[in-house]
Amino acid sequence: MTALAHVPTSAGTPAGPPPPPPPGRHRLLPYLLLLPAAAWLLLFFALPLIQLAAASLYDPAGSLSTGYAMTWAFDNYPEALQAYWPHFVRSFGYAAAALVLALLMGYPLAYAIACKAGRWKNLLLVAVVAPMFTSFLVRTLAWKTILSDNGWLVGLLRDVHLLGADGRLLATPVAVVLGLTYNFLPFLVLPLYASLERLDHRLLEAAGDLYASPVQAFRRVTLPLSMPGLIAGTLLFFIPATGDYINAELLGTPNEYMIGNVIDSAFLVRLDYPQGAALSFLLMAAILAVVFAYLRRTGTEEVL
């Protein structure tokens, strides 16, 4: 081994390890690699957020034609909350109801794909993701057709007497919750699948050898090991569902409008930029509070 270490190379110089990079360049390399992403976030996230914060403090008496004056109008926040707090409650209520419904369907689906699908696994994953290949708007319009008063679903429910003769699904809270569940279900299923797919089945066999029932094995082994995917999936589902407005716009009525509909109207219809910006920040603050409370409850607050 010692002789081999001194064998000369083709250039006539002894072979050896490459020289280390200069210390300064080596330390700066990770930061240089992060520079493009940091610049992107600064340009398209931080700066618009700062502008939105400034707009929320404009004088509400201004307009696009006359301009807005910066008067540090912090009263825009309590006034916006007082005027539209029912929409905040409705948004979180609809998102929570849709999340529960998605969990009841998504967890068994993710478990079946990860643990029972066998050679059909890839096909089932494609089936979960395939609806996302089309426009969000098109998918919601499809649900408007399915839930229409003359559609097959309402007819079936009337035939089995789950709906009255004049009963309907469209333009109701049920329609909005169903639309939210359908549109955001893949965001819950895919992280769950990723956690369950890594599950060591020998642990389930060991639980059975220790006389655990299937329910006990699920509660003590499967559920705890799938918690990272469950937490990630619930957040990826709940956050966009709370701020959504397309489902309430197309599947509901003004009585079902969520806070996203109010923000959309403030910016694009009423042109009340201070109120729209204030409502946007209130929504972000409320979602962050719920997320931190949820992560603290599940013992994963270090994720953020």
Side-chain angles (χ1 to χ4, degrees):
M1 297 296 292
T2 304
L4 291 176
H6 296 283
V7 175
T9 63
S10 59
T13 58
R25 181 181 177 184
H26 181 69
R27 287 195 300 266
L28 290 176
L29 182 59
Y31 300 100
L32 293 175
L33 293 175
L34 288 174
L35 188 59
W40 179 274
L41 289 176
L42 176 65
L43 184 62
F44 295 107
F45 178 76
L47 292 181
L49 198 63
I50 294 172
Q51 178 60 36
L52 189 67
S56 69
L57 301 176
Y58 287 162
D59 183 0
S63 65
L64 286 180
S65 58
T66 61
Y68 288 100
M70 171 56 75
T71 59
W72 304 98
F74 288 98
D75 289 341
N76 290 339
Y77 286 91
E79 291 175 1
L81 184 61
Q82 183 178 6
Y84 295 107
W85 68 264
H87 296 80
F88 279 98
V89 175
R90 189 178 301 131
S91 297
F92 282 92
Y94 286 173
L99 177 59
V100 171
L101 187 57
L103 283 172
L104 293 176
M105 296 187 296
Y107 199 105
L109 177 60
Y111 182 86
I113 296 174
C115 304
K116 304 295 183 181
R119 62 192 181 95
W120 300 101
K121 181 182 298 186
N122 291 335
L123 180 62
L124 291 175
L125 282 175
V126 170
V128 171
V129 179
M132 301 181 69
F133 296 165
T134 62
S135 168
F136 188 95
L137 184 62
V138 171
R139 284 181 278 146
T140 309
L141 287 172
W143 269 93
K144 187 173 183 178
T145 302
I146 293 171
L147 300 175
S148 64
D149 295 342
N150 299 321
W152 63 269
L153 182 59
V154 170
L156 176 63
L157 294 177
R158 287 173 179 171
D159 291 340
V160 298
H161 303 291
L162 292 178
L163 277 179
D166 298 328
R168 61 183 323 209
L169 293 176
L170 192 63
T172 65
V174 174
V176 178
V177 171
L178 289 176
L180 292 172
T181 304
Y182 168 76
N183 279 305
F184 297 108
L185 184 62
F187 296 105
L188 175 67
V189 172
L190 294 179
L192 269 174
Y193 163 78
S195 287
L196 291 169
E197 199 269 337
R198 294 193 298 266
L199 182 65
D200 190 346
H201 295 277
R202 293 176 297 180
L203 297 175
L204 298 178
E205 296 174 359
D209 293 339
L210 294 173
Y211 304 103
S213 66
V215 175
Q216 290 174 324
F218 173 79
R219 186 168 60 88
R220 298 291 185 89
V221 179
T222 305
L223 185 59
L225 292 178
S226 66
M227 281 303 292
L230 182 62
I231 293 172
T234 52
L235 292 179
L236 289 174
F237 182 100
F238 182 80
I239 292 173
T242 305
D244 181 70
Y245 68 96
I246 295 295
N247 287 277
E249 180 76 29
L250 298 180
L251 303 179
T253 67
N255 293 327
E256 286 78 43
Y257 276 3
M258 302 166 66
I259 192 61
N261 300 95
V262 178
I263 295 173
D264 174 70
S265 176
F267 278 114
L268 301 181
V269 179
R270 294 184 283 110
L271 303 180
D272 189 348
Y273 280 29
Q275 187 180 79
L279 287 170
S280 299
F281 266 89
L282 287 171
L283 178 60
M284 285 189 284
I287 290 177
L288 281 176
V290 171
V291 168
F292 274 110
Y294 174 65
L295 293 178
R296 188 175 181 84
R297 178 75 175 179
T298 55
T300 54
E301 63 270 16
E302 65 273 8
V303 172
L304 295 181

